[in-house]
Amino acid sequence: MPWFSVSKEVAVGTAMLGVAFATGVLAGKKYPSIFFGASKSSKAVIGKDSLLWQYILDHSLREHPLLKKLRLLTLDHPWGRMMVSCDQAQLMANLAKLIKAKKVIEIGVFTGYNTLNMALILPDNGRVVACDINEDYVNIGKPLWKEAGVEHKIDLRIKRASETLDELLADGEAETYDFAFIDADKESYNEYYEKCLCLVRKGGIIAIDNVLWHGKVLNPRKDDLATQSIHFLNEKLLRDTRVNISMIPIGDGVTFAFKL
Ligand SMILES: C[S@@+](CC[C@H](N)C(=O)[O-])C[C@H]1O[C@@H](n2cnc3c(N)ncnc32)[C@H](O)[C@@H]1O
Ligand SMILES: *[C@@H]1O[C@H](CO)[C@@H](O)[C@H](O)[C@H]1NC(C)=O
């Protein structure tokens, strides 16, 4: 595709974003479905089948060969779509590196794509506390942690993440973590956020995944606890003076909270 037609698409997208924003603010948050593409797909952001997403990957993804191997392996899994988006993982690695992260918390490991991603950029004495309840998922990716020579940086804890976070707090590790990624059961998001906010130092970053939840946050149903929980935290974060925030339409939507 020639560059000018890509630019045009970007321009059209930006114009539609303007429409969505104006409509949302002026007409009591009635978001037009044209921008969010609710009719064709439930994706709230650039779809994984779109040419623009492919373009983004073709022009920015610098994936470690073992990360690529793990991604392809995970895509074969029936729950492969739970894996973090590779462009988002790269952004998080860049941010973690920028703040010279040494200690990271991963809440929801799955096959360990982002755990490996983080371990790869940490210094040799760095550490990822990796929380999951399902060891079978983790075992899929674990051999690649070893192959990459970063296994010693990963502290895997197989139990409910809230328990692990309590243990870290009980061990006196408050304010010692640099980066946390929240990506497990959505109903516990508020609890994870509060505990991470205690564990992360000033200037540290908490990344909260799936904040757009395939567009469902636009219309949270009362009986849909996952969407309610995400929407509640989104509203709370907007007013939370303990952090600065950015909500980014990458993957399924991620909010970065920068601890003040
Ligand atoms: C969306 S996946 C995580 C994806 C992962 N961050 C990656 O890099 O691909 C969510 C994971 O959370 C785990 N999980 C669900 N409930 C949990 C809990 N209460 N405590 C810890 N992990 C949990 C699931 O087993 C699953 O592996
Ligand atoms: C972050 O928050 C602080 C304190 O409220 C504020 O002074 C600063 O301008 C904020 N930075 C950004 C980029 O919003």
Side-chain angles (χ1 to χ4, degrees):
M1 189 190 284
W3 67 270
F4 46 87
S5 73
V6 170
S7 301
K8 196 176 136 206
E9 270 193 55
V10 171
V12 170
T14 309
M16 290 199 324
L17 180 64
V19 170
F21 179 72
T23 311
V25 169
L26 299 175
K29 296 194 177 175
K30 283 202 182 67
Y31 299 100
S33 58
I34 46 154
F35 171 61
F36 294 100
S39 55
K40 222 179 155 202
S41 98
S42 59
K43 281 273 172 216
V45 293
I46 291 181
K48 297 255 144 127
D49 47 1
S50 87
L51 290 173
L52 270 182
W53 192 60
Q54 194 54 55
Y55 184 90
I56 289 168
L57 298 192
D58 288 347
H59 295 84
S60 70
L61 194 64
R62 298 177 175 178
E63 200 176 33
H64 187 286
L66 290 170
L67 272 180
K68 182 171 183 186
K69 192 169 162 190
L70 180 51
R71 180 164 57 83
L72 297 179
L73 186 70
T74 304
L75 285 175
D76 283 338
H77 191 276
W79 288 100
R81 77 194 112 89
M82 286 211 295
M83 181 175 40
V84 66
S85 195
C86 51
D87 50 345
Q88 179 185 332
Q90 183 173 299
L91 172 59
M92 295 196 294
N94 277 325
L95 286 173
K97 191 110 196 184
L98 184 71
I99 62 167
K100 301 184 168 59
K102 267 191 174 169
K103 289 175 72 179
V104 173
I105 306 172
E106 176 86 2
I107 302 178
V109 176
F110 189 40
T111 62
Y113 184 89
N114 193 55
T115 301
L116 175 58
N117 174 50
M118 287 294 167
L120 283 167
I121 60 99
L122 291 181
D124 204 55
N125 63 352
R127 181 169 70 134
V128 187
V129 175
C131 313
D132 210 292
I133 43 172
N134 188 325
E135 199 158 21
D136 293 339
Y137 291 157
V138 180
N139 284 338
I140 297 171
K142 234 179 171 179
L144 294 173
W145 298 352
K146 196 167 182 191
E147 197 178 335
V150 297
E151 205 189 19
H152 62 287
K153 298 185 207 170
I154 300 172
D155 175 359
L156 179 63
R157 313 255 185 131
I158 300 291
K159 60 176 73 165
R160 283 170 43 242
S162 56
E163 261 181 74
T164 299
L165 299 176
D166 285 341
E167 284 168 11
L168 300 178
L169 287 166
D171 288 345
E173 294 197 77
E175 309 250 348
T176 65
Y177 284 83
D178 305 290
F179 193 99
F181 183 41
I182 299 177
D183 191 19
D185 52 313
K186 309 306 158 193
E187 290 80 358
S188 307
Y189 261 33
N190 188 53
E191 183 184 354
Y192 294 152
Y193 171 67
E194 287 299 331
K195 287 178 178 165
C196 285
L197 202 54
C198 293
L199 287 162
V200 165
R201 64 160 165 100
K202 282 191 189 2
I205 301 174
I206 303 171
I208 303 149
D209 203 29
N210 304 104
V211 293
L212 299 176
W213 204 224
H214 313 289
K216 287 191 199 169
V217 287
L218 293 179
N219 219 334
R221 283 177 24 187
K222 287 216 164 59
D223 58 346
D224 180 349
L225 293 182
T227 309
Q228 287 286 347
S229 171
I230 291 169
H231 180 59
F232 170 84
L233 185 56
N234 287 344
E235 298 249 306
K236 170 171 146 173
L237 281 167
L238 178 63
R239 293 171 185 85
D240 194 335
T241 53
R242 299 170 295 176
V243 291
N244 286 27
I245 55 170
S246 283
M247 184 186 265
I248 314 284
I250 192 171
D252 187 28
V254 60
T255 293
F256 292 106
F258 305 88
K259 185 169 168 176
L260 296 170

